[in-house]
Amino acid sequence: MRPKYYTPNEVAVHNTLKDLWVSFLGKVYDLTPLCEKYNAGDTLLKPIVASAGKDISHWFDKKTNDIRTHVDPTTACIFPYTPHGRFIHIPPPCPRSDWANDFGRPWWKDDTYCIGILSGKTRSIKIINTLTSQEQTIEVCSEEIMDEILLRYLKWNAHASSYTWKYNGTNLDMSKTLEDNNVHDEDEEFYKLSMNDDDFLPAIHLYFNDDLTEA
């Protein structure tokens, strides 16, 4: 089963204690269930809530995929580096009787919270319904195949699957990405030319499939 891709903007809207997503090291995590296990005012929740909807890759060592560490200048011991404050599943700097370490895997290593992959590159496209002349600009993930882009478009057209999708008059292969369908991402070229790429978005045309047959 293909993983689901998310744009940074999609992650950003989940930024409350009762609906909390973050991204790190290329993946997206829904930490809402984790937050529900703690009281809203719990100090250990504060750094996570403050980062709701954001990318927190800077919390981690990319080589180990674990929380970054530092040497405590007082004890000369290695501790997790948490400049924004200690958070859930991070042990206290000194032994304490009120801290239990029987929670199992720490949340950043628990794949049950992982809901998908953060897109490495997003792009905007224009979708034009030739039946109604309606146009819609949507942000998509460059890794998504056309069928997944179709699912994004359903909020504007619930019957999107009843259309043939074309680019420059050629039928698109719905099992391939935009790039694989020769709908090239030219953002870099427009940037080099100091041109606004939003003025030159690739246009996907939708043609309604009339399945009615005469008796």
Side-chain angles (χ1 to χ4, degrees), residues 127-129 138 146-166 174 204-209:
I127 298 179
I128 301 173
N129 186 333
I138 66 173
M146 294 308 303
D147 273 332
E148 292 164 339
I149 293 175
L150 183 154
L151 293 177
R152 287 185 177 274
Y153 181 64
L154 287 177
K155 63 163 53 174
W156 294 283
N157 185 346
H159 304 287
S161 59
S162 297
Y163 289 74
T164 296
W165 292 49
K166 294 188 178 186
M174 303 303 283
I204 308 297
H205 289 82
L206 273 55
Y207 295 85
F208 186 68
N209 298 325

Side-chain angles (χ1 to χ4, degrees), residues 127-135:
I127 298 179
I128 301 173
N129 186 333
T130 60
L131 180 66
T132 63
S133 298
Q134 291 179 328
E135 297 184 8

Side-chain angles (χ1 to χ4, degrees), residues 2 21 23 27 32 64 73 102 126 148 156 172 186:
R2 276 178 58 84
W21 292 12
S23 62
K27 294 184 179 180
T32 310
T64 64
D102 57 353
K126 184 183 297 181
E148 292 164 339
W156 294 283
L172 295 173
E186 299 179 327

Side-chain angles (χ1 to χ4, degrees), residues 40 67 144 159:
I67 299 295
E144 290 177 314
H159 304 287

